[in-house]
Amino acid sequence: MSSIQEKPAVLLDSRAFRQALGHFPTGVAVVTTRGSDGRPVGLTINSFSSLSLDPPLILWSLVNHSPSLDIFLNCDHFAINIMSEAQAELALNFANPKVEDKFAMAAHQDCEEGIPLIDGCSARFVCENYQSHEGGDHRLFIGRVLRHEADGHAPAVFHQGRFTRLAMA
């Protein structure tokens, strides 16, 4: 019986791999924090996932070349803002590096930890920056959830490179 370690590495076409991953619909979130200079920082992610119920942990990832990587590595807290389907344009703005003041376009308020929480989201999670790990060309962040809320708005969904809607039965 052969083990996984004995099998030769497979070279994948990264573009085809990314397209294949796009067949898995994901939610869309904006992760927010504050830099050491007090400036609000936020960016769009679709790598959000639940990790553990006890303790309450979530997981997300950030590409290693992100200009915001050091800010998230060094912050004490961050928030995951699950975008509603009405917030697709806002999510695109937070994903666009050319948009300088992303928070100017987003109604938001600070939580008691000083982290911006975006209004009108499907759900929000305030997290302690619990752990981070290397993960290939990304950094994996684990947050310990301190508080959460859900507003009941339909979530933004991303599938095959575009926003779509859930079909409600």
Side-chain angles (χ1 to χ4, degrees):
M1 182 160 91
S2 66
S3 71
I4 292 174
Q5 294 174 344
E6 295 173 6
K7 294 184 179 184
V10 176
L11 296 176
L12 297 176
D13 175 322
S14 60
R15 183 179 175 105
F17 180 55
R18 184 179 182 122
Q19 287 176 340
L21 290 171
H23 285 270
F24 183 70
T26 63
V28 180
V30 171
V31 60
T32 56
T33 194
R34 272 199 195 275
S36 59
D37 60 359
R39 182 178 55 91
V41 177
L43 51 92
T44 300
I45 60 170
N46 67 353
S47 59
F48 173 76
S49 179
S50 62
L51 181 61
S52 170
L53 294 177
D54 187 18
L57 301 175
I58 56 88
L59 172 77
W60 66 281
S61 66
L62 182 58
V63 67
N64 289 332
H65 62 75
S66 170
S68 300
L69 182 63
D70 285 340
I71 294 168
F72 283 101
L73 283 170
N74 294 306
C75 71
D76 291 329
H77 298 91
F78 58 80
I80 302 291
N81 301 269
I82 306 297
M83 297 286 97
S84 70
E85 69 181 16
Q87 294 175 310
E89 185 175 337
L90 183 60
L92 290 172
N93 286 334
F94 272 92
N96 186 345
K98 294 179 183 177
V99 176
E100 289 187 31
D101 186 1
K102 295 173 169 86
F103 288 91
M105 302 172 199
H108 65 284
Q109 51 193 299
D110 287 354
C111 64
E112 65 185 67
E113 290 79 8
I115 306 304
L117 299 177
I118 299 172
D119 296 343
C121 293
S122 293
R124 301 185 300 191
F125 301 85
V126 176
C127 302
E128 173 189 12
N129 198 354
Y130 187 69
Q131 291 180 2
S132 72
H133 301 277
E134 291 182 28
D137 62 358
H138 279 64
R139 187 78 185 184
L140 305 175
F141 288 89
I142 298 172
R144 186 175 68 83
V145 178
L146 303 176
R147 288 182 308 288
H148 62 87
E149 62 185 28
D151 290 341
H153 301 296
V157 178
F158 201 72
H159 180 244
Q160 292 187 307
R162 66 183 192 280
F163 285 93
T164 188
R165 293 178 182 230
L166 293 176
M168 301 306 235

